[in-house]
Amino acid sequence: GLTGGIGVGKTTVSNIFRHLGVPIFNSDLWSKNILKNNKHVKRAIKIKFGNNIIDNKGEIDKQKLSHIVFSNKNKLNFLNKLIHPLVIEKYDKWLGLQKTKYIIKESALIFESDISSSLNKIILIKAPLKLRIERVCNRDNRDRIEVENIISNQVSPADISNKVDFIINNDGTLLTPQIIKLHNKLLTVF
């Protein structure tokens, strides 16, 4: 498993592993795909959050939805319980097709969704809070308060550091040497 909060660089780290030949399952991308294409999910969200959640193209307005769920834990839990089982189903099918020494499941919610026990090893990516906020504000065109709300709803790296097997620091330190070293270690483990 590869985890870390918003803005730590999960996608960047995943891309480096991908270039090393490691298959990556990106839970966030699958969640977005389900949100966009699953009629049952769209209908349930519309019922729960109202017609205002639908944009002028008939799609779920992801920014509105994000704003709502990251300021209300009950609504966030509803959304997670709706989408996570479908992501797990996709992952199980994908996993059955893989033929490499190891794969990586990228997910910000490894501990929140209680999938940590199904993973052999867990990698945590850490980055300074200020840097994370700047990255997300620039990347997603979000304001600082919204990003801080999202971060406050995620598990703190300090709370899970003792539950992971490896830590990658994305604080300006070169990533590729850290990842190559870890990749070589994982090849000997599996």
Side-chain angles (χ1 to χ4, degrees):
L2 178 70
T3 195
I6 190 169
V8 296
K10 290 183 300 297
T11 301
T12 301
V13 170
S14 289
N15 285 337
I16 296 169
F17 273 110
R18 189 175 283 114
H19 285 303
L20 294 171
V22 180
I24 307 290
F25 182 90
N26 185 316
S27 299
D28 188 43
L29 286 179
W30 276 107
S31 295
K32 289 175 183 173
N33 182 284
I34 290 166
L35 195 62
K36 181 177 174 119
N37 297 309
N38 186 299
K39 290 178 183 175
H40 165 73
V41 168
K42 287 169 87 170
R43 185 174 37 247
I45 289 171
K46 188 176 173 183
I47 290 168
K48 179 75 173 177
F49 299 104
N51 290 332
N52 292 348
I53 205 71
I54 306 298
D55 66 17
N56 57 5
K57 296 176 188 168
E59 300 295 329
I60 293 172
D61 186 323
K62 288 187 274 288
Q63 254 191 323
K64 274 187 190 174
L65 182 62
S66 175
H67 182 70
I68 292 168
V69 300
F70 286 114
S71 52
N72 183 312
K73 283 223 188 260
N74 289 333
K75 290 180 180 178
L76 178 60
N77 288 337
F78 167 83
L79 186 64
N80 286 339
K81 286 179 183 173
L82 181 66
I83 293 179
H84 285 166
L86 299 171
V87 173
I88 290 168
E89 184 180 309
K90 292 284 186 189
Y91 171 74
D92 289 342
K93 288 178 184 174
W94 176 87
L95 182 61
L97 302 173
Q98 305 312 308
K99 307 278 187 242
T100 56
K101 280 212 169 216
Y102 75 96
I103 59 92
I104 290 180
K105 181 177 188 177
E106 177 188 328
S107 174
L109 305 175
I110 283 177
F111 292 98
E112 296 91 331
S113 61
D114 205 28
I115 59 168
S116 61
S117 62
S118 69
L119 301 167
N120 299 93
K121 300 288 181 191
I122 300 174
I123 304 163
L124 172 65
I125 306 169
K126 293 170 82 173
L129 183 60
K130 182 180 177 190
L131 183 57
R132 292 172 60 193
I133 292 168
E134 286 173 14
R135 286 176 182 160
V136 178
C137 288
N138 293 333
R139 180 190 72 197
D140 298 348
N141 197 26
R142 293 179 188 250
D143 65 47
R144 182 178 184 83
I145 292 171
E146 188 177 4
V147 176
E148 288 171 348
N149 275 343
I150 293 169
I151 290 171
S152 73
N153 279 285
Q154 295 181 328
V155 172
S156 164
D159 292 341
I160 59 172
S161 289
N162 64 337
K163 297 178 183 178
V164 302
D165 302 285
F166 308 102
I167 295 175
I168 293 174
N169 289 303
N170 190 7
D171 54 4
T173 308
L174 291 176
L175 281 175
T176 303
Q178 293 181 74
I179 294 166
I180 290 172
K181 183 178 179 182
L182 179 53
H183 173 66
N184 289 333
K185 184 180 276 191
L186 290 172
L187 287 174
T188 65
V189 171
F190 298 109

